[in-house]
Amino acid sequence: EQYIELNKLKLKKLYILFDNDRAGKINRKKVAEDVAPLVKRVEIVTVPEMKSDPGELANADAEVLMRHLGLRE
């Protein structure tokens, strides 16, 4: 149900970033499998040195990550 709206976006690529703990590793894999039919490409992003929740990334760190992924110039 929650992925129906995602399908409407017609995304070419979706990046998934979860915590590095055990639950995050399990959940990112499940989400990737769930959304795979809805987008052309799903990429799981891992940041080994990330110690906190991805939502708690400092803006500067998030910008560096987005540049690395080619989402920012």
Side-chain angles (χ1 to χ4, degrees), residues 21-51:
D21 61 8
R22 181 170 156 56
K25 290 175 183 176
I26 291 168
N27 287 324
R28 65 182 168 215
K29 199 170 189 180
K30 179 173 179 0
V31 169
E33 291 169 359
D34 288 349
V35 300
L38 305 175
V39 297
K40 294 184 180 191
R41 184 170 175 200
V42 177
E43 186 171 327
I44 295 174
V45 178
T46 56
V47 182
E49 59 275 358
M50 187 175 65
K51 302 295 182 206

